[in-house]
Amino acid sequence: MTHALAEDRNAAEQLLKEKFGFERFHDHQWEAISRLLKGERVLMIERTGFGKSLCFQFPALLLDGITIIFSPLIALMRDQVAGLRRRGIPAECLNSENPPEENDRILRAALAGELKILYIAPERQENELWSAAAHQMKIAMVVIDEAHTVSVWGHDFRPSFRRIIGLVGLLPPDTPVLAVTATATPRVQTDIERQIGGQLITLRGDLLRDNFRFHVIEVKSEEEKMIWLARHIDSLPGSGIIYTGTRSDTSRYAGWLRSCGVDAECYNAGLEADDRKTVEHGLMESRWKCIVSTNALGMGIDKNDIRFVVHTQIPSSPVHYYQEIGRAGRDGLPSDIILFFNSSKDSHGIPADCRLPLSFINNARPSRETYLKVIAELREALLSERELMMKCNLKQTEARIVKADLLDQGIVIEVKINNKKVYEYQYDAPELDTSSFEELRRAKLKDLEAMVGYVSTQGSRMEYLCRFLGDATDRQFAGCDNTSEAKWSVEHDSAYDDYTARLAAFEASGIPELVLSKAKKSPVETGAAAGRYRETAIRTALSESRKNPLYTFPEALLQRLENAFRSLTPEEPVAGVTFVPQREGNTSERLARELAQRLGLPCLSTLRCVGDRFSQRELRSAFSKKDNVAGAFELLRPDIVEGHKLILVDDFCDSGATLLEAASLLVNAGAMRLVPVTLAKTEPGDL
């Protein structure tokens, strides 16, 4: 049924001013809103800052029932719900960071018709309470935000988004549906149109951002990136975001900049929910000069005056890049867009900064052999997700990808037994077809080539991105270092030498934290490492120790190990030093003995290994690692443990499962306190 305002733009704009404070709609905004009020389906591809959210928030007020908005961005949902509430519009957000009782309350309010707008993370569709409630709600409209995620050809495909398409297919044909994104290549656009189906109209806008100033800075090392930022970030106007490729680099870069007097904070998905909220609020208030983040930050944050966006790691596609730089300059004022690129090549001719995205692309899907192994296990028995992880040695993300693909191909089905989801092989199932996986991998490799092409292009960088995204605009743009802007580079002068020394001191002073358990009542406290596994000095020392049982650790590393201990208990006395026993070698024992000698403490042998185990390095999931070391140690001397405070030493910490198992055994034996320390902390890809 068509709403009365669908053909009355003047009356709609009067309501717009009353509710949202805007004078008028952009033409594309009005076209989308008008069609939605007529019960149509719309795909909107518009640049960041265009005002896509208004295209669903406004009609949601007029439609009879509740509008469901699927978004993968929790920060966006929180931000938009707060804004809607300030305008007196009843809105809520369902996501995994809410306490269960809060999500229950929100569902009850939705069922009672008390809400006009409900945001939900797509992963919540796995929740049984949501599934039951969704079929009882009076749904007025469905919105798919970041709609490129429904397409396997999109830059951030998520299998859980496929369930949204299933819900859309159950809606009456005159229920309006809106899919919005800023980043859809022609191929992704076609795929989204096919999946949503029905009488769908696509509105594609002009993607060119003429207030951007683009720079590419070619470097030969990570050191050059860090030093350039330390020297120049404060000279950039306003505040902004520095994107890194890994979580660990967010704290590394932020710590380095702080040591150089720059107001910097870090952000990544590994932070606690309250900490993420604090940083998000600080971003809105421009509390820091810069926030160093993975791409977890910024998507959907409604801040219009981000003045610069820096990438220390080349993204894997121009689509990713356009999406992330779109956070800057939404107010239309000049903003700097900076990309570092380490062009030094390895023995295979691969540029250093291409290794990380290549790893992501090549490991995006498990091997064909892994799929066949999962199928073979399911032929034998019905298995849950966790059981698949254990039997097939899979990480959780790998298990979910395999399971989603096998469900899509009709090879397995999902069933419920005693309220437990399990997966069942279909004996009339088709053969596994991995041809589409390989096609997708080739497409992503081409995208990475295109991103490297952005670095080397001699033409307008903005025009390069627009062409890749399928924007056929004939507007000219000159705001980059190939046209009207100066070329920026790393200056190797006396100041650079000073910064090099400062950076070396900073790297040596870092004490990585070891979070062994996130359980609120865990008996084991947070530990510390002397440094990171990837550091050449640490990696070399561990390698030499494994080869030579008489190896003596360098004084500098032992001092850093002592510093790690003292960072946890600067004044508190301890009774002795003990260690995690190893089945092969004695590295952790020798570290413990050398540390004990420095501290003037006894070195105590409190544990021994029992039973045969897999090597932790061979196991991929946290569940498998934890189960593998369960019961792996036996207590030798309860009398020297009970009532004492001890330092517990291991050579390095990866998942933390081994260290946690040993520490828990000692705590349960009566240790008053344990201080876990290791020489190294690993990061993804180190082992």
Side-chain angles (χ1 to χ4, degrees):
M1 182 181 295
T2 299
H3 191 278
L5 288 187
E7 301 289 355
D8 192 342
R9 181 168 178 171
N10 288 334
E13 288 181 338
Q14 289 178 11
L15 181 61
L16 173 71
K17 185 173 183 180
E18 175 187 333
K19 287 291 187 180
F20 293 92
F22 300 119
E23 294 290 336
R24 59 185 61 85
F25 296 111
H26 301 312
D27 287 346
H28 267 200
Q29 283 179 323
W30 173 246
E31 183 176 357
I33 290 167
S34 176
R35 289 181 177 277
L36 292 169
L37 291 176
K38 295 174 184 175
E40 297 182 24
R41 297 182 175 187
V42 177
L43 168 59
M44 173 173 277
I45 304 168
E46 295 281 1
R47 61 180 174 80
T48 301
F50 169 82
K52 295 185 287 296
S53 60
L54 191 63
C55 295
F56 51 80
Q57 291 177 354
F58 183 84
L61 296 181
L62 304 175
L63 295 169
D64 183 22
I66 187 170
T67 290
I68 308 295
I69 302 166
F70 291 98
S71 173
L73 310 171
I74 292 177
L76 173 144
M77 294 192 283
R78 283 198 292 255
D79 190 47
Q80 293 197 358
V81 165
L84 289 165
R85 286 175 177 170
R86 286 194 296 269
R87 296 183 175 96
I89 301 168
E92 290 286 2
C93 165
L94 276 175
N95 67 77
S96 58
E97 293 185 359
N98 291 342
E101 58 272 18
E102 175 69 1
N103 282 332
D104 291 346
R105 181 194 65 77
I106 292 170
L107 275 179
R108 289 194 299 271
L111 287 168
E114 297 170 5
L115 303 178
K116 290 301 293 180
I117 294 177
L118 176 61
Y119 287 83
I120 176 171
E123 290 77 11
R124 293 294 300 173
Q125 293 176 98
E126 304 280 347
N127 181 275
E128 294 175 20
L129 291 177
W130 160 257
S131 298
H135 289 90
Q136 300 175 49
M137 292 179 192
K138 186 176 183 180
I139 298 177
M141 177 168 62
V142 169
V143 178
I144 309 171
D145 197 15
E146 305 297 331
H148 51 271
T149 50
V150 307
S151 172
V152 295
W153 307 105
H155 70 276
D156 191 23
F157 169 64
R158 302 190 184 191
S160 55
F161 262 60
R162 289 290 182 86
R163 289 179 178 260
I164 304 173
I165 299 301
L167 175 62
V168 168
L170 297 174
L171 297 173
D174 61 347
T175 302
V177 176
L178 174 64
V180 296
T181 179
T183 48
T185 62
R187 186 174 196 172
V188 172
Q189 174 184 328
T190 300
D191 192 22
I192 297 172
E193 290 169 344
R194 176 189 60 79
Q195 290 193 59
I196 294 177
Q199 298 299 310
L200 181 140
I201 181 71
T202 295
L203 304 176
R204 181 183 272 276
D206 177 6
L207 300 180
L208 192 146
R209 301 287 299 275
D210 55 13
N211 60 320
F212 282 179
R213 299 180 296 218
F214 290 89
H215 294 271
V216 172
I217 303 175
E218 292 201 44
V219 299
K220 295 298 181 183
S221 67
E222 201 73 11
E223 174 188 89
E224 289 190 344
K225 301 175 188 178
M226 299 177 78
I227 291 176
W228 191 96
L229 287 169
R231 296 183 69 173
H232 298 289
I233 197 73
D234 266 336
S235 65
L236 296 177
S239 60
I241 301 174
I242 299 174
Y243 285 118
T244 65
T246 64
R247 292 182 184 182
S248 60
D249 273 345
T250 63
S251 56
R252 182 185 180 208
Y253 270 80
W256 161 242
L257 291 173
R258 283 196 296 269
S259 76
C260 295
V262 178
D263 287 332
E265 187 54 87
C266 72
Y267 183 102
N268 61 65
L271 298 179
E272 296 295 333
D274 287 345
D275 293 333
R276 291 202 297 274
K277 291 177 185 176
T278 297
V279 178
E280 290 162 13
H281 292 152
L283 170 67
M284 298 301 295
E285 298 167 359
S286 301
R287 197 177 301 165
W288 303 283
K289 177 66 180 181
C290 60
I291 293 176
V292 186
S293 176
T294 59
N295 59 12
L297 177 73
M299 303 302 161
I301 293 288
D302 189 18
K303 180 175 173 61
N304 66 3
D305 62 344
I306 293 173
R307 291 274 70 87
F308 59 85
V309 170
V310 179
H311 280 75
T312 66
Q313 167 64 53
I314 190 171
S316 59
S317 166
V319 181
H320 281 100
Y321 193 53
Y322 183 87
Q323 177 94 2
E324 290 157 18
I325 65 176
R327 304 306 112 201
R330 294 173 63 166
D331 55 6
L333 298 179
S335 303
D336 290 300
I337 308 300
I338 301 167
L339 171 65
F340 287 103
F341 183 64
N342 185 347
S343 56
S344 57
K345 296 181 179 180
D346 62 16
S347 58
H348 301 288
I350 299 173
D353 273 357
C354 287
R355 288 197 282 271
L356 184 64
L358 273 174
S359 173
F360 288 150
I361 292 168
N362 289 327
N363 295 314
R365 267 192 168 83
S367 66
R368 178 181 176 83
E369 289 69 26
T370 298
Y371 281 85
L372 294 175
K373 186 174 183 180
V374 169
I375 292 171
E377 292 290 349
L378 291 174
R379 281 178 180 267
E380 297 298 321
L382 280 69
L383 299 173
S384 68
E385 179 182 286
R386 180 166 180 169
E387 289 166 339
L388 280 174
M389 293 168 60
M390 300 293 289
K391 284 184 171 292
C392 300
N393 192 18
L394 300 175
K395 295 179 181 179
Q396 187 175 57
T397 51
E398 293 174 323
R400 289 183 173 176
I401 289 170
V402 171
K403 152 183 112 174
D405 288 335
L406 296 182
L407 286 167
D408 277 352
Q409 294 191 21
I411 296 173
V412 304
I413 61 170
E414 184 180 274
V415 296
K416 188 175 291 185
I417 299 177
N418 297 327
N419 290 322
K420 177 182 176 182
K421 286 183 182 177
V422 296
Y423 299 91
E424 179 182 6
Y425 175 74
Q426 297 298 284
Y427 284 94
D428 58 349
E431 289 292 318
L432 173 69
D433 181 7
T434 58
S435 60
S436 61
F437 307 163
E438 183 57 31
E439 184 183 2
L440 179 60
R441 191 182 77 88
R442 288 193 296 268
K444 290 187 177 296
L445 288 173
K446 288 187 67 175
D447 285 355
L448 179 57
E449 288 178 13
M451 193 64 227
V452 176
Y454 166 86
V455 170
S456 60
T457 184
Q458 299 300 305
S460 164
R461 298 194 188 278
M462 182 79 257
E463 290 178 22
Y464 183 99
L465 294 175
C466 287
R467 284 196 302 273
F468 183 89
L469 288 163
D471 182 1
T473 180
D474 56 2
R475 293 171 57 196
Q476 300 298 304
F477 179 82
C480 73
D481 53 7
N482 285 333
T483 52
S484 60
E485 298 294 316
K487 290 277 187 184
W488 290 352
S489 61
V490 178
E491 313 97 312
H492 283 266
D493 51 18
S494 59
Y496 182 91
D497 295 337
D498 291 340
Y499 274 101
T500 299
R502 290 172 66 178
L503 180 57
F506 166 77
E507 297 280 33
S509 67
I511 300 176
E513 184 180 60
L514 306 178
V515 180
L516 301 182
S517 175
K518 293 187 177 181
K520 291 182 179 179
K521 296 184 179 180
S522 172
V524 180
E525 300 182 33
T526 297
R532 302 188 186 281
Y533 188 90
R534 65 177 54 177
E535 289 184 49
T536 302
I538 288 178
R539 199 167 59 250
T540 299
L542 289 173
S543 175
E544 290 297 321
S545 175
R546 294 182 193 115
K547 291 185 291 186
N548 179 6
L550 301 178
Y551 176 79
T552 300
F553 286 91
E555 168 67 20
L557 292 185
L558 292 172
Q559 181 62 58
R560 290 173 65 178
L561 190 64
E562 180 182 345
N563 293 344
F565 155 65
R566 297 199 184 282
S567 73
L568 298 170
T569 57
E571 304 295 338
E572 186 177 351
V574 294
V577 181
T578 188
F579 53 90
V580 178
Q582 296 168 307
R583 288 179 174 79
E584 296 180 4
N586 62 347
T587 298
S588 59
E589 180 179 354
R590 281 183 287 121
L591 274 171
R593 294 194 181 284
E594 293 188 41
L595 178 61
Q597 185 176 1
R598 291 179 64 87
L599 299 174
L601 295 171
C603 184
L604 309 171
S605 182
T606 58
L607 301 171
R608 70 177 178 186
C609 298
V610 293
D612 294 326
R613 311 282 167 177
F614 291 107
S615 166
Q616 290 289 82
R617 294 192 188 195
E618 296 174 6
L619 302 175
R620 300 179 58 76
S621 78
F623 297 133
S624 299
K625 290 175 184 287
K626 182 179 178 180
D627 283 2
N628 188 50
V629 295
F633 306 111
E634 181 177 76
L635 192 65
L636 291 175
R637 294 279 307 277
D639 57 305
I640 61 175
V641 173
E642 186 173 2
H644 291 126
K645 300 174 184 177
L646 302 172
I647 303 171
L648 177 62
V649 175
D650 203 356
D651 52 358
F652 68 88
C653 179
D654 185 32
S655 70
T658 304
L659 199 54
L660 179 61
E661 176 69 16
S664 298
L665 183 58
L666 293 172
V667 169
N668 292 335
M672 186 182 298
R673 183 182 177 191
L674 279 178
V675 184
V677 294
T678 66
L679 185 62
K681 177 185 178 183
T682 66
E683 295 163 6
D686 280 349
L687 298 178

